[in-house]
Amino acid sequence: MAEQPHTIEALFEENRTFPPSADFTSSAIVSSPTVYDEAGADPEGFWERQAERLVWRRRWDQVLDWSGAPFAKWFVGGRLNVTESCLDRHLGDHPDRAAYYWEGEPGDRKVLTYAQLHAEVCRLANALAELGVEKGDRVAIYMGMVPELPAAMLACARLGAAHSVVFGGFSAESLADRINDAQAKVLVTCDGSWRAGSVVPLKAMADDALAHTPSITSVLVVRRTGNDVTMVDGRDHWYHDRVDHQHADRPAVECDSEDLLYLLYTSGTTAKPKGIVHTTGGYAVHTYLTSKLIFDLKDDDVYWCTADIGWVTGHSYVVYGILQNGVTTVMYEGAPNYPENDRFWKIIEDHRVTVFYTAPTAIRAFIKWGDEFPNRHKLDSLRLLGSVGEPINPQTWMWYSAVIGKSRCPIVDTWWQTETGGIMISPLPGITATKPGAAMRPLPGISAKVIDNDGNEVGNGEGGYLVLTEPWPGMLRGIWGDPERYQETYWSRFPGYYFAGDGAKLDDDGDLWLLGRVDDVMNVSGHRISTAEIEHALVSHPRVAEAAVVGASDATTGQAVVAFVTVKGQVEGDEGESLVRELRDHVATVISPIAKPRQILLTPDLPKTRSGKIMRRLLRDVAEHRDLGDVTTLVDSSVVSMIDEQMRTNPAAGDEE
Ligand code: WT7
């Protein structure tokens, strides 16, 4: 048995840096690094000054109360309704500015100005109130990407009720579990949603869930796709019947800064999803500020975050953070490759998008589809690009920068989690000389460290565990109904620190690189090696489109590196064997011989969750020839059976030693 290593080794080297142009810096919201010093000297004072830019009914008495750690209270005693900062405050200055440019998958479009969105939210709040929704209640939302979705979230917030949005790609069972855990009173859904040319029958799926959710008394159904649905008398109501005739005004309910704003369920290491608790004041301040500084938002920006609102990225950076800044946001209903692979680039051209925020998994798909699709469109409106969700391979970053950003747009690689509520580690686009693949530095007002097993800070050039060392305004306030699990999951491994579950390294300049979840960290011959770094190395080879690396148990080395690789173009005849050999040598050269994969399997696709994360747990099972468990959260579970089959029947696909 290899000895327990002390920390995570940092092996991948990337030395390119990309400072912003003088032009970008001169008009950027943050153009001087002194903001780090100001915030560092007095973080609470810093956050307090940000809070002053939002609409409050009553000012707070205390910025932070950490006496009940790890349960934080921010802006204690403050009273507000977050919809007043999102909507009402803009009615004076720019009621006719678009809040959402919405585009349906079939090509239909809608513009909702701030005034119209305000009116819709008020009408819907009136309708929900009629159905019995009161301050403190929970409302479940299970919808596609239609404008009624952000309206429903804001209508709940207007009433002081909490929303629990369940991503429309989840099954009826997942929906029922989440409704029951939250004890939601009302469900807002759609008849269906367009995805890749077909209707996802949301109402029918909701009906299966509703058979097991006694807490739900009413269901509101948006007519979107026009497919047949069953309406249960007395329980189910068409949205247009209940909402359209309502008054277009409804006073916002005054809430405490620490009142529940929403629950959002996320998976953990056990099967039971965690209801992540986010409250009002601190979350509003955190999402407002990070949107503004990181996306450098100005009045005339057209911002587009491609995330579904069912994920936290959509909550914070399609709805709350962005609306509080009063800018225009694009919202797109459907698939990126419908009707063709250039849909996103067409949307950017049509709406003159200036700031674009997407995920590495999407970027890797674009690379695979080919440059011809972005090259069909004018992307010159873009001035800033963002990435979120997983470590972005340096090679992917370079493509994003060159082909989408035309080597003109800074890239912000933003690290955060459902639990953190908002972005925590990211470049600031006007001042950071970015490095392809690095999230760089904690934001002003945020404190993070990389530590080893014993909790000691690692030095530059070393890897370890990422921890957050001070509370922050957007942080989760707990797990719904399970305070012990909250303490145990996040605060027990390193006492006094929030442990995010991610590995990270500091490079020679002290900049931060994320290395993936620590359960994606392998132990090879006593070396802890990050799967992400080997993936970076593989993707830096010109033939590789996408790579997933896992550790499989190995009699001699503890764990061995197994790589699943999809290549660009066709692999002809016995070219596969030589390519595999070449890739192994490539990893050895780029990283180190100890990182050389024992096995490389060339495969046409990789198994992914619906949010686009590669399912490394499943690939580990495949690599270790274990029976495959539950694969229902996968986009396409046939991919994994195919890879499994390939692995069992074709050991020659890379098994050289
Ligand atoms: C996990 C959180 C935050 C919105 C989407 C995901 C990984 C997220 C990055 C990044 C490297 C990243 C981490 C994190 N992650 N952003 N920029 N670089 N890794 O939210 O589902 O709560 O997942 O996503 O592993 O812990 P989530």
Side-chain angles (χ1 to χ4, degrees):
M1 214 24 224
E3 196 190 319
Q4 174 72 10
H6 203 57
T7 183
I8 302 170
E9 304 203 2
L11 300 169
F12 188 90
E13 267 205 56
E14 169 62 67
N15 298 314
R16 294 168 284 198
T17 62
F18 295 83
S21 66
D23 214 33
F24 190 99
T25 303
S26 69
S27 57
I29 288 180
V30 178
S31 56
S32 156
T34 53
V35 62
Y36 288 105
D37 307 324
E38 283 160 29
D42 175 16
E44 288 182 32
F46 172 77
W47 287 115
E48 177 157 51
R49 286 192 296 282
Q50 310 313 322
E52 283 164 359
R53 299 160 189 263
L54 301 182
V55 181
W56 295 81
R57 297 271 185 95
R58 179 185 186 277
R59 194 184 165 94
W60 52 93
D61 305 309
Q62 190 185 351
V63 176
L64 168 67
D65 177 1
W66 191 228
S67 61
F71 296 90
K73 291 186 181 143
W74 281 86
F75 307 109
V76 185
R79 310 278 299 173
L80 75 163
N81 186 294
V82 64
T83 66
E84 295 189 326
S85 289
C86 292
L87 301 170
D88 303 61
R89 74 175 324 184
H90 306 307
L91 298 186
D93 295 350
H94 51 82
D96 300 327
R97 182 182 298 161
Y100 289 107
Y101 284 153
W102 176 81
E103 191 166 314
E105 194 186 71
D108 45 340
R109 288 181 181 178
K110 232 184 244 175
V111 178
L112 257 97
T113 65
Y114 273 91
Q116 289 165 333
L117 181 62
H118 175 269
E120 185 68 9
V121 167
C122 287
R123 280 191 292 265
L124 180 47
N126 284 324
L128 289 173
E130 250 176 34
L131 295 173
V133 175
E134 291 172 6
K135 183 166 190 287
D137 287 341
R138 273 85 52 210
V139 172
I141 299 178
Y142 183 63
M143 299 170 81
M145 284 285 280
V146 289
E148 291 85 352
L149 166 53
M153 295 160 73
L154 294 163
C156 292
R158 192 100 180 150
L159 297 172
H163 51 77
S164 167
V165 181
V166 179
F167 171 57
F170 278 131
S171 64
E173 198 181 316
S174 309
L175 174 61
D177 286 349
R178 286 157 175 75
I179 289 175
N180 289 331
D181 190 76
Q183 287 294 293
K185 195 177 205 174
V186 169
L187 171 69
V188 187
T189 187
C190 300
D191 53 357
S193 169
W194 289 108
R195 185 79 196 176
S198 340
V199 171
V200 181
L202 290 172
K203 175 63 166 67
M205 284 153 70
D207 286 339
D208 290 344
L210 288 162
H212 311 281
T213 56
S215 64
I216 296 285
T217 52
S218 307
V219 180
L220 211 48
V221 186
V222 173
R223 179 130 72 201
R224 165 61 187 144
T225 44
N227 48 311
D228 280 343
V229 296
T230 316
M231 300 290 277
V232 173
D233 230 18
R235 185 196 70 184
D236 300 355
H237 312 273
W238 285 109
Y239 182 101
H240 52 264
D241 288 342
R242 304 292 302 204
V243 176
D244 290 358
H245 66 276
Q246 299 281 352
H247 277 301
D249 199 8
R250 171 138 196 135
V253 170
E254 186 178 297
C255 298
D256 188 88
S257 177
E258 283 301 333
D259 277 345
L260 179 64
L261 179 63
Y262 69 79
L263 298 177
L264 185 57
Y265 285 81
T266 186
S267 48
T269 46
T270 70
K272 190 181 182 320
K274 304 175 279 197
I276 301 300
V277 172
H278 283 295
T279 59
T280 308
Y283 177 81
V285 173
H286 190 158
T287 54
Y288 163 76
L289 181 76
T290 48
S291 301
K292 177 166 152 167
L293 300 195
I294 296 163
F295 303 121
D296 192 43
L297 294 178
K298 320 266 174 49
D299 283 353
D300 53 355
D301 271 312
V302 179
Y303 160 96
W304 183 22
C305 166
T306 65
D308 191 287
I309 290 177
W311 309 112
V312 74
T313 308
H315 282 57
S316 299
Y317 300 109
V318 181
V319 185
Y320 290 107
I322 304 303
L323 295 177
Q324 287 183 96
N325 278 280
V327 303
T328 298
T329 296
V330 172
M331 206 179 142
Y332 168 59
E333 177 183 36
N337 52 353
Y338 187 87
E340 281 195 79
N341 289 343
D342 67 340
R343 185 65 183 268
F344 276 16
W345 320 122
K346 184 172 174 352
I347 291 174
I348 290 176
E349 179 174 15
D350 289 351
H351 297 285
R352 305 288 299 155
V353 171
T354 58
V355 181
F356 180 65
Y357 189 33
T358 193
T361 181
I363 304 169
R364 290 191 304 259
F366 305 144
I367 296 174
K368 218 160 121 182
W369 296 339
D371 295 7
E372 60 183 284
F373 297 103
N375 288 347
R376 276 185 199 169
H377 296 278
K378 269 175 61 185
L379 304 179
D380 61 322
S381 55
L382 289 172
R383 62 180 194 89
L384 176 59
L385 303 175
S387 170
V388 62
E390 46 175 332
I392 179 166
N393 314 109
Q395 209 61 26
T396 306
W397 193 103
M398 291 301 294
W399 181 91
Y400 194 29
S401 170
V403 179
I404 306 306
K406 312 293 178 205
S407 307
R408 233 178 1 88
C409 303
I411 297 180
V412 286
D413 174 10
T414 62
W415 179 88
W416 58 299
Q417 308 179 296
T418 304
E419 291 88 338
T420 69
I423 298 170
M424 303 293 282
I425 302 175
S426 167
L428 289 177
I431 56 175
T432 309
T434 54
K435 300 175 182 176
M440 301 300 290
R441 286 182 71 170
L443 292 169
I446 301 294
S447 308
K449 277 184 188 162
V450 182
I451 60 177
D452 66 20
N453 258 331
D454 304 326
N456 301 313
E457 256 183 279
V458 306
N460 287 357
E462 292 178 34
Y465 304 96
L466 177 68
V467 291
L468 303 168
T469 58
E470 299 293 338
W472 63 98
M475 69 192 289
L476 75 166
R477 302 302 197 261
I479 295 174
W480 184 250
D482 201 346
E484 286 87 42
R485 191 177 178 196
Y486 168 65
Q487 306 216 26
E488 167 62 29
T489 308
Y490 303 106
W491 300 91
S492 66
R493 171 94 186 257
F494 300 107
Y497 291 159
Y498 171 91
F499 176 45
D502 282 348
K505 74 172 182 191
L506 297 175
D507 67 15
D508 292 339
D509 305 322
D511 292 322
L512 256 165
W513 295 68
L514 274 301
L515 300 176
R517 306 291 301 170
V518 288
D519 48 11
D520 294 337
V521 172
M522 297 167 293
N523 184 336
V524 182
S525 308
H527 301 279
R528 294 198 79 147
I529 303 175
S530 139
T531 55
E533 288 194 308
I534 300 177
E535 289 165 5
H536 291 344
L538 285 165
V539 176
S540 74
H541 187 280
R543 283 299 303 280
V544 175
E546 190 161 38
V549 167
V550 299
S553 54
D554 184 280
T556 41
T557 59
Q559 276 188 307
V561 180
V562 176
F564 299 83
V565 168
T566 62
V567 298
K568 296 175 194 153
Q570 295 295 315
V571 178
E572 311 288 356
D574 52 20
E575 188 211 345
E577 257 179 63
S578 60
L579 182 57
V580 163
R581 213 169 308 122
E582 199 179 312
L583 292 176
R584 296 178 72 242
D585 292 342
H586 181 70
V587 173
T589 330
V590 177
I591 300 188
S592 146
I594 58 166
K596 199 167 168 173
R598 178 186 75 186
Q599 230 177 330
I600 295 181
L601 198 76
L602 302 178
T603 164
D605 214 338
L606 292 171
K608 301 212 177 119
T609 63
R610 291 168 200 276
S611 66
K613 287 197 169 59
I614 294 169
M615 290 282 281
R616 291 188 179 69
R617 176 181 64 78
L618 275 176
L619 290 174
R620 264 197 303 276
D621 290 349
V622 170
E624 300 185 340
H625 303 294
R626 265 195 300 274
D627 280 339
L628 301 172
D630 180 20
V631 294
T632 53
T633 54
L634 290 177
V635 174
D636 179 0
S637 54
S638 67
V639 171
V640 72
S641 343
M642 178 197 66
I643 296 176
D644 192 35
E645 181 68 19
Q646 225 183 330
M647 189 86 180
R648 286 170 197 268
T649 55
N650 185 17
D655 211 349
E656 289 191 6
E657 284 162 8

